[in-house]
Amino acid sequence: MDSLLRLVAVIGGSIVLTFIAGRLTDLLLRRADARHPETPLWNMLRRCRTAVRVLLFAVVLRGVYRQIEWRPLQDHEAAVGRILTLVLIGASAWCVVLVTSAVVESSYARYAHGTRDPSRLRRVRTQVTLIMRIVTAVVAVVAAAAMLLAFPDLRAVGTSLLASAGIIGIVAGVAAQSTLGNLFAGFQIAFGDMVRIGDTVVVAGEWGVVEEATLTFLAVRTWDERRITMPVSYFTGRPFENWSRGGIQMTGTVFLHCDHTAPVALMREKLKDILDGCEAWDGRGWDLAVTDTTATTIVVRAIVTAKDPDDLWTARCAVREQLVCWLAEKHPYALPRVSTSAAAAPPEYEDRVSKHAPGSDA
């Protein structure tokens, strides 16, 4: 009976001590957050309170469980100690990940508050996202290794594996060549500033915005809300268009096929009128010129500018639609057409035919 009461007292005391320490830590973080409203770090650290309580409970119980004189516990003392060690390692890894996440996110929030350059924000956001994934992966691997070392039998297995590390490394490198290539490509994208979250890109003929970036793949959201998942090695091994690189303002083109009799000068004036009434046009530049001819049509190219890819798309659609409607209403002869009348014969052909006609003097 005394041993059972001691068990309840030790566990209950550990819970109470953990609760008090957790409340005290949360109170200190609240006061720090109230004194320093310029940074969200202290409020973000409050998200770690559950992990901290689990860690404190494991530490306290790991230190005092040997004092419990309960026969079933004493018979399995090694197993209980090993379980508490695993909980301690897992809770420690959990706390490290949460604290690192809070520090990184608060740093990014302060940087975003003081920076108005959207391209820099996208670059830092991409780097922060990938850094957190790297930290999480490293902590998970270290925690898993520490848990395995807690078992004496696995230590011997680990020693034998280390003896053949060369062969295993070669085999693993060949088997995971694609995975490792994507992993290193993820590092290159994160710190090489090739593509960032929020960039407008054209990959495999699809136009979209980079929505998510990981160490192995990038997700691109297209204009019709589809998601294209591309391995990061695609962006390091193939050319792609990044419309957000070096500024988001852009110049676009609109091509029209018209008849040879199209009034190009009037079309140029109409283009200026259309752009003056288009809110998506940023006023930086415009032009209209004949860039090519074919046997039946001419190719007219209109140039428009906009402050970002979305406005450029809107401006191009407006110019294309209004120019075609204006030509159809005011100058229908300027639209492409298929001629079905007989072609006029050249003058020398008519002279030759008249000379050899019956009844001619020749």
Side-chain angles (χ1 to χ4, degrees), residues 227-302:
R227 301 302 190 276
I228 302 177
T229 302
M230 310 287 292
V232 292
S233 58
Y234 178 93
F235 293 88
T236 58
R238 301 181 184 179
F240 65 95
E241 296 183 29
N242 189 342
W243 291 3
S244 302
R245 184 78 176 181
I248 59 176
Q249 59 185 17
M250 298 188 64
T251 300
T253 57
V254 175
F255 290 96
L256 297 178
H257 291 265
C258 301
D259 190 78
H260 289 83
T261 59
V264 178
L266 295 179
M267 292 177 65
R268 190 174 292 110
E269 295 177 1
K270 182 60 179 178
L271 173 63
K272 185 61 170 63
D273 294 337
I274 293 173
L275 293 177
D276 287 339
C278 181
E279 296 181 357
W281 182 53
D282 62 357
R284 288 189 298 114
W286 67 278
D287 191 18
L288 187 142
V290 178
T291 59
D292 198 5
T293 59
T294 66
T296 56
T297 61
I298 61 174
V299 180
V300 180
R301 184 191 67 183

